[in-house]
Amino acid sequence: MKKTYILEDLDCANCAAKIEEAVGKLDGVSKSTVTLLTQKLVVEVEEGKVSGLLKEIKRIVKKFEPDVEVIEK
């Protein structure tokens, strides 16, 4: 299952790479891609692992970029 999130106000390429890597290591996530230009995070996740995913993504994003807002699309 593919989920897309907007990372509003993301402007750091290094932080984007760290977010992409950390989200990719979450349980049930098979692929994580951050596109800095569009400020999008696309995650491929197992069907049963979607619950709580947004909370974990927000936690990771705040760790690297405290001012970035995560919006589920």
Side-chain angles (χ1 to χ4, degrees), residues 7-10 61-70:
L7 302 179
E8 197 171 81
D9 296 329
L10 179 67
V61 170
K62 293 296 178 196
K63 178 179 170 184
F64 296 111
E65 276 280 15
D67 297 330
V68 170
E69 190 68 36
V70 180

Side-chain angles (χ1 to χ4, degrees), residues 2-73:
K2 217 177 234 189
K3 299 288 286 177
T4 303
Y5 302 91
I6 305 298
L7 302 179
E8 197 171 81
D9 296 329
L10 179 67
D11 57 5
C12 170
N14 187 39
C15 298
K18 289 178 180 178
I19 291 167
E20 180 178 282
E21 183 180 346
V23 171
K25 292 179 180 177
L26 289 175
D27 186 38
V29 174
S30 59
K31 186 176 180 184
S32 166
T33 307
V34 174
T35 306
L36 184 61
L37 190 63
T38 59
Q39 298 183 339
K40 282 186 184 174
L41 165 64
V42 179
V43 179
E44 287 184 28
V45 62
E46 293 173 26
E47 198 72 39
K49 303 285 185 171
V50 177
S51 167
L53 182 64
L54 179 59
K55 182 180 176 184
E56 284 299 304
I57 290 172
K58 284 183 176 183
R59 182 186 59 78
I60 289 167
V61 170
K62 293 296 178 196
K63 178 179 170 184
F64 296 111
E65 276 280 15
D67 297 330
V68 170
E69 190 68 36
V70 180
I71 303 163
E72 192 168 11
K73 192 169 178 192

